[in-house]
Amino acid sequence: AGGASHSLALKSDGTVRAWGYNGNGQLGDGTPTPRSTPVPVSSLTGVVAIAAGYYHSLAVKSDGTVRAWGYNIVGQLGDGTTTDRSTPVQVSGLTAVTAIAAGYLHSLAVKSDGTVRAWGYNALGMLGDGTTTNRNTPVQVVSITGIAAIAAGQYHSLASVAITTVATYTITASAGANGSISPSGAVTVNSGGSQSFTITPNAGYHVSDVLVDGSSVGAVTSYTFSNVTANHTIAASFAIDTAPIMNVS
């Protein structure tokens, strides 16, 4: 992740390295000393995601909490103060976080329930809480849910809604002459769903046979597909009723 003049890297062991400008503690090594080579961020392990703002840094830990360090003039570290931090501090009251983003002077986090929290500079409404009040602890972004990803610009914020798609399958229903099947034609069914069909002969006719995926299920007048996970066919055929033969003696 890259800030205005500092850089962050997340290692596979869950630790973080930082380098570059450090005048506000954004490297998190406990000093204000610029670094031309990476140094470990102090006391930070179990990290799964990082973000770099203008002069501040964020990290999500595997337990869903967030750590922040660096410049904090308008509360962008979210620890309830406006004090710069040269080592990571926990963002207040924030749990179950799955993603973070850092803007110029504000920060964003997505929670596992799809809601978003924001904190820091808010003069132009970039925190999305319906005010222009700066916040030094997280507040909920209003009127958005189902969020999967976020991004923070200099003075604005973006969120991407998660779109859930459901697999569908087609049951093709047909009937021969002298009867009907309902519904008929190509019927769309959601994966795992069910669909019933009614087979009706015309007057003077009866159901001769019903084929499901090419195999006979007998002369039934109704059939239900349950837990549909593939395409299917159903076809009905009909035969004329035969009058009984009368014996004449």
Side-chain angles (χ1 to χ4, degrees):
S5 49
H6 75 292
S7 304
L8 303 174
L10 174 60
K11 289 174 61 72
S12 59
D13 64 1
T15 60
V16 178
R17 299 296 185 270
W19 61 99
Y21 181 64
N22 198 24
N24 302 98
Q26 55 263 55
L27 302 190
D29 67 345
T31 79
T33 305
R35 305 291 184 177
S36 60
T37 57
V39 294
V41 176
S42 297
S43 306
L44 191 60
T45 59
V47 174
V48 296
I50 53 175
Y54 191 70
Y55 286 142
H56 72 290
S57 305
L58 302 174
V60 181
K61 289 174 62 73
S62 57
D63 63 1
T65 60
V66 177
R67 300 298 186 271
W69 60 99
Y71 195 39
N72 197 28
I73 189 171
V74 285
Q76 61 264 46
L77 301 189
D79 67 342
T81 78
T82 53
T83 303
D84 292 356
R85 306 291 185 176
S86 61
T87 57
V89 293
Q90 185 166 347
V91 176
S92 178
L94 197 55
T95 59
V97 170
T98 60
I100 50 172
Y104 176 53
L105 294 171
H106 73 292
S107 305
L108 304 173
V110 179
K111 289 174 63 73
S112 59
D113 64 1
T115 60
V116 178
R117 300 299 186 272
W119 60 101
Y121 189 51
N122 196 29
L124 300 176
M126 59 278 278
L127 302 190
D129 67 342
T131 78
T132 53
T133 303
N134 297 339
R135 306 290 185 176
N136 59 22
T137 58
V139 293
Q140 185 166 347
V141 176
V142 299
S143 303
I144 59 172
T145 58
I147 302 304
I150 48 174
Q154 184 171 5
Y155 292 129
H156 70 291
S157 304
L158 300 174
S160 174
V161 177
I163 299 175
T164 302
T165 59
V166 177
T168 59
Y169 298 97
T170 299
I171 301 175
T172 303
S174 61
N178 303 308
S180 63
I181 186 169
S182 179
S184 63
V187 180
T188 300
V189 183
N190 287 341
S191 179
S194 61
Q195 178 65 53
S196 296
F197 293 86
T198 300
I199 299 100
T200 306
N202 292 345
Y205 291 82
H206 61 273
V207 177
S208 173
D209 197 8
V210 173
L211 301 181
V212 172
D213 297 330
S215 298
S216 174
V217 294
V220 298
T221 56
S222 64
Y223 187 87
T224 298
F225 292 89
S226 299
N227 190 29
V228 175
T229 56
N231 295 327
H232 295 283
T233 62
I234 181 170
S237 59
F238 306 92
I240 191 168
D241 293 341
T242 303
I245 298 175
M246 302 293 293
N247 290 323
V248 179
S249 57

